C-alpha cells in the first residue's frame, strides 16, 4: 500500500518515506507510528490507543509516546508550533494535519499462504488468539537473565554474554518487528559465546516464533524455534519453559494437537509459573470444541490473577457457546467498559450483540468500537452488518479495511474479492489448494474450513461448501449462532443438510454443557454481577 501525504510518498510494503527523490530516515517504531496514523486518516487518537497499536505488548507510558512523536516530527522536519504533518490536540492526543490518500496498491495481492497460524478472525472473539500469543512471548521473555541457569553447568556468566542477554531480553520485550529482529541477532551472538546456553536457546526460540506469529514471517522461523526448544528438552526433559517455547512454535504453525500437548506438559511441570501456557491451552481447547476443559482452564488462570482482560474475554465466549448468554454478556460488557484501549474487546462486544439477535444494539456498539483501537475482526463484522443491509459495496470496503490492517491474514482477501465481484476463478482455485494443503499438513484450525466453504459457495459449489462447514464442525467449530445469524451463510441455509449440521453442533454443545456443570467455580461465575 502506498500513500500520498502532503508532500510525502509513503510505501508500507518497503517501509520507505520519500519527499520527492529524497529518502527520509524514518525507521522502526517511528515508521510503525506513522503507518498506523495514516490508517486512522484524520481521527484524533489518544496516547492509550497508540500504546495498544504500536507498542503492545510492551508496557510503556504516555511520556514514551510523546518522545516517539517528537522523534517522528524531527525525522519529518515538522514544527510542533506550526505543524504540517502531525498536530497535538491538547488534552486528547494526536491528529494528522491532512488526509492521506491511497495512491496505489503494491500490486495485486498474492494468494495468502495459510500453512501456519495466522491471526484468526472468524468470529470477532478469535482475535483474542493474537493477544494470547503476545502474552506468551512477553511472559516467557520477561524472565531476567540472572534468574535462569544460563549455562546449565553452574559456571559464572561472562560479562559479554550477560550484556548480550540483557539487551536481547530488552528488545524482545518491546514486541515490535525491528526490535524483535535485534533481539534475535543478540541471542545469536550470545549463543556463539555459549552454544549450550539454555536461556539463549529459548530466548531465540520465542523471538523466532514471534517473527512468524506476530510479524508474518515465514514458517521457517517457527521451525527453527521448535528445533531450539527441542534441543533444550533433549538435555533438560523437565524444563517447563522449553515445553512452552515448543508449544508456541507449534501454535504459530497451526499445529493444534502438538501445541496443546506441549502446553499441557509445561503446566504440569510448573503450574504456578506457566499461567501463560494455561490460558493458551484453554484457548486451543475452546477452538477444538472442548468447552468444559476450556472453561476449567480459564477459571484456574483467572483465580491465579493471570491477565484478566484476556481470561475474561475467553470466559465470555466459553459461556456464550455453552448457553449462558446473560453471564457471558456481563463479563464482556464489563470488559468493554473497563478496557476501552483493547482492540480485541472492542471487536468482540458488537459481534456478541449481533449473535444474540440484537441488531440495532450491535450497530450502536460498532459505531462506538470504530472509535477505539481496531482489530481486523472488527471490520469483518462491519462487513457482515453491511451485507445484512444488502450493501455489497460497503461490505467489500469493510473487508478491504480488515485486509489492510493485517495483510494476508484470515479470510479478508477472499471475502473482499467475493463481495466486490472480483473473485478470479484461478485465484480462488489456488487459494483453495493452499488451504487444503495446510489442513493436510496439520493446520487443523476450523477457520481454514470456513474460508474454504465461502470460496466454494462463491464458485457455485454449495454441496462442497456444506461439506467444508461440516469439516469445520469436526475440527471443533461450535459457533451455532454465527451460522444462524451471519449473512455470510445466507445462500447456504436452504441447502439440504444445513439444519442437520446445526443439530450436530447443538448436540456437541449439550454434551459439553453437561460436563461444564461439574467444573469448580462455574456457579460462582454465573452468579457474578447478579444482584
Amino acid at each position: 500500500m502506498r500513500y500520498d501525504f502532503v508532500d510525502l510518498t509513503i510505501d508500507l510494503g518497503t517501509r520507505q518515506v520519500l519527499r520527492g527523490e529524497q529518502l527520509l530516515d524514518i525507521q522502526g517504531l517511528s515508521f510503525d507510528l506513522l503507518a498506523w496514523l495514516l490508517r486512522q486518516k484524520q481521527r484524533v487518537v489518544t496516547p492509550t490507543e497508540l500504546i495498544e497499536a504500536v507498542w503492545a505488548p510492551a508496557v510503556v507510558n504516555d511520556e514514551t509516546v510523546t518522545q516517539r512523536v517528537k522523534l517522528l516530527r524531527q525525522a519529518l522536519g515538522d514544527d510542533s508550533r506550526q505543524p504540517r504533518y502531525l498536530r497535538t490536540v491538547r488534552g486528547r492526543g494526536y491528529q494528522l494535519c491532512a488526509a492521506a490518500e491511497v495512491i496505489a496498491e503494491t500490486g495485486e495481492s498474492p494468494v495468502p499462504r495459510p500453512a501456519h497460524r495466522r491471526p484468526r478472525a472468524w468470529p470477532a472473539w478469535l482475535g483474542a488468539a493474537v493477544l494470547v500469543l503476545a502474552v506468551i512471548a512477553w511472559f516467557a521473555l520477561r524472565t531476567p537473565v540472572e534468574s535462569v541457569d544460563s549455562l546449565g553447568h553452574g559456571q559464572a556468566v561472562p560479562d559479554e554474554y550477560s550484556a548480550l542477554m540483557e539487551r536481547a531480553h530488552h528488545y524482545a520485550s518491546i514486541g515490535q518487528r525491528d526490535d524483535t529482529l535485534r533481539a534475535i541477532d543478540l541471542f545469536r551472538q550470545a549463543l556463539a559465546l555459549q552454544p549450550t546456553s539454555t536461556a539463549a536457546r529459548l530466548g531465540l526460540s520465542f523471538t523466532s516464533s514471534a517473527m512468524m506469529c506476530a510479524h508474518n514471517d515465514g514458517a521457517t522461523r517457527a521451525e527453527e524455534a521448535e528445533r531450539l526448544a527441542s534441543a533444550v528438552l533433549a538435555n533438560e526433559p523437565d524444563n517447563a519453559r522449553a515445553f512452552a517455547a515448543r508449544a508456541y512454535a507449534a501454535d504459530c504453525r497451526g499445529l493444534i494437537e502438538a501445541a496443546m500437548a506441549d502446553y499441557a506438559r509445561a503446566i504440569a511441570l510448573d503450574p504456578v509459573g506457566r499461567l501463560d501456557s494455561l490460558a493458551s491451552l484453554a484457548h486451543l481447547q475452546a477452538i477444538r470444541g472442548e468447552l468444559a476443559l476450556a472453561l476449567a482452564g480459564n477459571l484456574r488462570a483467572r483465580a491465579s490473577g493471570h491477565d484478566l482482560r484476556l481470561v475474561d474475554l475467553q470466559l465470555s465466549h466459553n459461556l456464550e457457546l455453552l448457553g449462558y448468554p446473560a453471564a457471558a454478556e456481563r463479563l464482556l460488557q464489563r470488559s468493554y467498559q473497563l478496557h476501552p484501549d483493547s482492540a480485541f474487546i472492542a471487536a468482540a462486544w458488537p459481534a456478541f450483540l449481533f449473535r444474540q439477535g440484537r441488531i440495532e444494539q450491535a450497530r450502536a456498539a460498532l459505531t462506538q468500537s470504530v472509535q477505539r483501537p481496531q482489530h481486523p475482526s472488527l471490520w469483518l463484522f462491519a462487513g457482515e452488518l453491511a451485507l445484512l443491509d444488502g450493501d455489497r459495496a460497503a461490505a467489500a470496503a469493510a473487508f478491504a479495511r480488515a485486509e489492510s490492517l493485517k495483510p494476508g491474514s484470515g479470510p479478508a482477501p477472499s471475502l473482499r474479492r467475493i463481495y466486490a465481484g472480483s473473485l478470479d476463478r484461478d485465484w480462488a482455485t489456488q487459494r483453495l489448494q493452499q488451504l487444503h494443503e495446510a489442513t493436510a499438513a496439520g493446520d487443523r484450525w476450523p477457520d481454514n474450513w470456513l474460508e474454504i466453504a465461502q470460496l466454494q459457495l462463491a464458485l457455485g459449489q454449495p454441496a462442497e461448501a456444506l461439506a467444508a462447514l461440516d469439516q469445520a464442525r469436526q475440527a471443533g467449530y461450535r459457533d451455532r449462532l454465527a451460522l444462524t445469524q451471519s449473512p455470510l451463510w445466507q445462500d447456504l441455509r436452504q441447502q439440504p443438510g444445513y439444519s442437520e449440521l446445526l443439530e450436530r453442533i447443538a448436540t456437541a454443545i449439550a454434551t459439553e454443557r453437561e460436563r461444564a456443570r461439574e467444573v469448580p467455580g462455574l456457579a460462582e461465575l454465573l452468579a457474578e454481577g447478579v444482584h
Side-chain angles (χ1 to χ4, degrees):
M1 185 81 72
R2 284 193 291 142
Y3 287 92
D4 186 358
F5 177 52
V6 191
D7 60 347
L8 305 175
T9 300
I10 302 162
D11 192 320
L12 301 189
T14 61
R15 295 176 67 85
Q16 291 184 334
V17 181
L18 295 168
R19 181 181 287 120
E21 299 298 321
Q22 179 190 4
L23 177 63
L24 303 188
D25 185 16
I26 300 177
Q27 304 176 37
L29 279 171
S30 293
F31 187 90
D32 292 339
L33 173 62
L34 177 60
W36 192 79
L37 288 169
L38 289 171
R39 294 186 178 108
Q40 310 313 304
K41 300 182 179 178
Q42 286 186 274
R43 185 172 68 86
V44 177
V45 297
T46 67
T48 298
E49 286 184 78
L50 288 171
I51 290 169
E52 173 83 14
V54 180
W55 276 268
V59 180
V60 301
N61 55 29
D62 288 4
E63 180 60 25
T64 301
V65 177
T66 301
Q67 291 304 314
R68 180 56 59 178
V69 168
K70 182 178 179 180
L71 290 172
L72 176 59
R73 282 180 171 142
Q74 290 173 353
L76 290 170
D78 206 7
D79 184 343
S80 61
R81 292 166 298 183
Q82 294 181 312
R84 296 183 65 206
Y85 303 106
L86 178 61
R87 67 169 63 95
T88 300
V89 181
R90 188 175 299 278
R92 296 179 63 193
Y94 303 95
Q95 180 186 35
L96 293 183
C97 296
E101 180 182 354
V102 177
I103 55 176
E105 303 281 350
T106 54
E108 173 64 8
S109 301
V111 180
R113 298 201 65 86
H116 59 79
R117 180 174 178 180
R118 309 170 307 287
R120 307 286 164 170
W122 264 106
W125 76 279
L126 282 176
V130 183
L131 180 57
V132 173
L133 296 182
V135 170
I136 295 169
W138 177 85
F139 192 95
L141 288 165
R142 70 181 174 86
T143 308
V145 170
E146 297 78 10
S147 71
V148 291
D149 180 13
S150 299
L151 305 183
H153 304 293
Q155 302 172 14
V157 180
D159 288 345
E160 183 179 357
Y161 170 89
S162 180
L164 286 168
M165 290 294 290
E166 181 180 356
R167 296 306 295 164
H169 279 278
H170 165 73
Y171 282 118
S173 69
I174 295 172
Q176 299 301 310
R177 179 183 178 87
D178 290 348
D179 294 298
T180 304
L181 288 171
R182 292 187 184 102
I184 286 174
D185 182 59
L186 290 165
F187 281 128
R188 291 195 194 283
Q189 292 180 52
L191 273 175
L193 290 177
Q194 298 293 340
T196 61
S197 166
T198 292
R201 281 175 171 174
L202 294 183
L204 182 55
S205 177
F206 277 108
T207 47
S208 294
S209 290
M211 283 304 299
M212 181 182 179
C213 244
H215 305 302
N216 294 324
D217 262 20
T220 55
R221 292 284 192 183
E223 290 165 359
E224 180 186 20
E226 180 183 351
R227 288 193 297 271
L228 288 160
S230 294
V232 172
L233 289 169
N235 295 318
E236 304 174 39
D238 292 331
N239 189 314
R241 190 162 175 261
F243 276 108
R246 195 167 71 177
Y248 184 30
D251 208 345
C252 289
R253 295 169 63 196
L255 306 177
I256 296 183
E257 290 86 353
M260 290 175 69
D262 278 348
Y263 282 138
R265 183 62 177 152
I267 297 162
L269 289 167
D270 187 3
V272 175
R274 294 262 63 99
L275 294 178
D276 56 333
S277 294
L278 180 60
S280 298
L281 177 59
H283 176 73
L284 293 182
Q285 287 167 333
I287 295 297
R288 290 301 305 271
E290 300 171 2
L291 302 179
L293 289 175
L295 177 70
N298 281 319
L299 283 171
R300 283 176 55 199
R302 191 178 197 241
S304 300
H306 182 64
D307 194 332
L308 293 183
R309 289 186 304 170
L310 163 67
V311 173
D312 278 1
L313 181 59
Q314 294 188 174
L315 276 171
S316 172
H317 199 70
N318 295 160
L319 292 173
E320 182 187 1
L321 291 179
L322 286 166
Y324 299 107
E329 180 174 352
R330 287 193 297 271
L331 273 181
L332 188 53
Q333 185 173 34
R334 182 178 63 191
S335 294
Y336 192 76
Q337 292 168 343
L338 292 178
H339 304 292
D341 58 338
S342 171
F344 310 105
I345 296 170
W349 175 236
F352 168 83
L353 293 171
F354 175 78
R355 288 192 298 271
Q356 298 302 314
R358 294 151 63 180
I359 307 302
E360 294 310 311
Q361 288 177 275
R363 293 185 198 279
L366 176 63
T367 300
Q368 185 176 356
S369 288
V370 296
Q371 305 303 316
R372 298 185 175 199
Q374 295 176 8
H375 186 268
S377 55
L378 180 67
W379 289 99
L380 289 175
F381 171 65
E384 291 187 66
L385 274 186
L387 288 176
L388 197 66
D389 295 332
D391 192 340
R392 293 174 66 95
F399 296 142
R401 184 69 181 272
E403 185 179 5
S404 72
L405 289 172
K406 206 74 173 178
S409 297
S414 293
L415 293 175
R416 172 178 64 81
R417 286 172 169 82
I418 290 169
Y419 289 99
S422 61
L423 181 65
D424 178 78
R425 182 170 288 272
D426 289 340
W427 187 95
T429 300
Q430 184 182 357
R431 177 63 173 162
L432 283 168
Q433 180 179 349
Q434 290 177 354
L435 287 162
H436 283 296
E437 288 174 355
T439 58
D443 186 351
R444 300 288 298 170
W445 279 72
D447 60 334
N448 283 336
W449 294 108
L450 296 176
E451 187 175 352
I452 288 171
Q454 280 293 308
L455 286 167
Q456 289 179 321
L457 187 60
L459 292 173
Q461 301 167 352
E464 290 83 350
L466 188 60
L469 267 188
D470 195 54
Q471 289 282 353
R473 175 194 65 81
Q474 294 176 49
Y477 187 69
R478 295 293 180 264
D479 204 334
R480 187 174 182 273
L481 288 177
L483 294 178
T484 302
Q485 299 285 345
S486 174
L488 292 173
W489 309 110
Q490 172 96 26
D491 294 339
L492 202 56
R493 290 194 187 111
Q494 303 307 315
Q495 288 296 312
Y498 195 86
S499 59
E500 288 82 354
L501 170 67
L502 294 178
E503 285 304 314
R504 285 194 289 271
I505 292 175
T507 299
I509 290 173
T511 300
E512 290 299 316
R513 184 180 169 98
E514 285 302 312
R515 292 171 178 163
R517 294 184 197 278
E518 306 301 320
V519 172
L522 174 61
E524 291 79 3
L525 184 65
L526 294 178
E528 201 172 282
V530 177
H531 302 290

